[in-house]
Amino acid sequence: MQVRVDPQHAGSRIDVVISASLDISRAQAARRIAAGEVTVNNKPVAKSYVVAAGDVLDIVHVDPAASVVAPPCPPILYRDEHLIVIDKPAGLVVHTGAGHVGDTLVDALQAAGVPLAGGDPERRGIAHRLDRDTSGVMVIAVSTTGFDALVDAFANRRLQRRYIALVAGTLPAAQGRVEGPIGRDPRDRKRFAVVSAGKPAATSYKVIATATTYSGQPLSVLMCQLHTGRTHQIRVHLRELGHPVIADPVYGRVGPLTSDLGLVRQALHAYALSGPHPVSRLPLHVRAPVSWDIAQACALVNIDLPGLLHEAESTW
């Protein structure tokens, strides 16, 4: 798009002119200028540039997804006409958001020809999500019927979700339950916390192993079960309990343990999904093998995780 500045707009800032020309906010105009999508007389300028009559503004749109290759499709653990269950790797963002266009789980599934259905167009098929650096089981709708039934199943807590977490310290009880309403942290709006004005949240846990690293740092391996589905729920509740997830950059990195175990992301893995199938109501049980980095961290402290998981599930 090319715009020639007329005398009535002379003396205006370029972000104001771009905002009016494209019918977008000044903030959006400023971002496009900063991204190099706007030149004046074939030269890049700052958003504070004051235009003159006769200036020629060239505006191009750079599609941020155009040069991004979709990630490979994660392993599909279960599939039918309504749902798929995948094993999401750590580091993969679930859907389009700030800084992530074209490189998400949704993009990977669409590129692989998976027919996602239901929900927001940019979050097609997504009825729940995992944090970027949490690995493991995610269920996704591939039919409208499946999406509606999945939303209802989560809302009515018919699907059971269990996670594996490596946490700092040794817990005083072999199992327990953390209850505390979760909402935005009033001191940092990018974080969540247990706050009185938050939404009700409950997490159960069972200690399945304890160990000490070579530098003398105690840790515990927990199996956690969600009773609600708040953002960052397990991470917030375990921090509230005084035993944050190891290598969690937001709620307690726990430096010595992180380096002892060689972890570069939060030690949290969505291990199992079970309950009645949202559409057929037949039993559905899907497990994702514990990711290599968490399994390796456990091996470093002589914890045989696969055997312990089977025993923990059968006795809980």
Side-chain angles (χ1 to χ4, degrees):
M1 178 180 180
Q2 191 172 81
V3 176
R4 183 176 295 274
V5 179
D6 56 37
Q8 74 181 57
H9 289 108
S12 300
R13 284 171 50 120
I14 190 169
D15 55 348
V16 174
V17 176
I18 297 298
S19 172
S21 299
L22 300 183
D23 191 25
I24 59 177
S25 70
R26 283 184 64 178
Q28 290 173 311
R31 284 195 291 270
R32 296 191 65 166
I33 294 165
E37 297 181 18
V38 178
T39 60
V40 179
N41 304 324
N42 295 317
K43 296 180 180 179
V45 296
K47 65 181 180 181
S48 58
Y49 175 83
V50 177
V51 301
D55 277 349
V56 176
L57 281 55
D58 285 297
I59 308 166
V60 298
H61 176 62
V62 179
D63 182 354
S67 60
V68 177
V69 177
C73 184
I76 295 177
L77 305 172
Y78 170 88
R79 187 170 196 163
D80 64 27
E81 63 183 311
H82 298 297
L83 306 173
I84 63 169
V85 182
I86 60 101
D87 183 2
K88 188 188 88 66
L92 183 61
V93 172
V94 170
H95 53 66
T96 297
H100 290 279
V101 178
D103 60 351
T104 69
L105 171 62
V106 169
D107 296 307
L109 294 171
Q110 289 178 329
V114 177
L116 306 181
D120 186 310
E122 291 188 344
R123 306 179 183 187
R124 188 71 69 194
I126 304 299
H128 76 118
R129 69 180 188 88
L130 297 179
D131 299 331
R132 179 187 65 187
D133 289 328
T134 297
S135 56
V137 171
M138 261 195 78
V139 57
I140 296 156
V142 296
S143 74
T144 302
T145 299
F147 181 83
D148 293 342
L150 191 56
V151 170
D152 181 69
F154 279 126
N156 289 286
R157 305 176 188 176
R158 288 193 296 271
L159 288 174
Q160 180 187 88
R161 288 175 285 168
R162 288 182 172 174
Y163 291 67
I164 302 304
L166 274 59
V167 304
T170 304
L171 282 75
Q175 62 186 76
R177 181 181 173 106
V178 186
E179 295 193 21
I182 292 177
R184 293 282 180 183
D185 188 332
R187 294 168 296 182
D188 183 348
R189 301 296 292 173
K190 294 181 180 179
R191 293 161 45 116
F192 290 82
V194 173
V195 292
S196 58
K199 295 180 179 179
T203 306
S204 294
Y205 68 87
K206 179 176 183 176
V207 178
I208 59 176
T210 59
T212 304
T213 67
Y214 70 89
S215 68
Q217 303 295 318
L219 66 100
S220 300
V221 181
L222 307 184
M223 180 174 286
C224 299
Q225 182 172 320
L226 290 175
H227 300 289
T228 51
R230 310 304 176 204
T231 302
H232 298 177
Q233 178 174 318
I234 291 175
R235 298 162 65 191
V236 170
H237 272 171
L238 292 177
R239 177 177 181 269
E240 183 74 9
L241 196 62
H243 298 277
V245 175
I246 297 169
D248 187 332
V250 178
Y251 301 104
R253 181 173 287 278
V254 198
L257 277 166
T258 297
S259 56
D260 283 358
L261 298 174
L263 290 165
V264 296
R265 57 97 175 186
Q266 63 223 25
L268 186 62
H269 176 77
Y271 172 63
L273 175 84
S274 60
H277 187 291
V279 178
S280 71
R281 301 300 175 93
L282 295 173
L284 177 66
H285 301 282
V286 186
R287 292 168 180 78
V290 176
S291 57
W292 68 270
D293 54 345
I294 292 178
Q296 179 176 274
C298 288
L300 286 173
V301 289
N302 299 314
I303 293 175
D304 175 22
L305 198 53
L308 290 170
L309 290 177
H310 177 73
E311 181 183 348
E313 279 204 293
S314 63
T315 57
W316 193 14

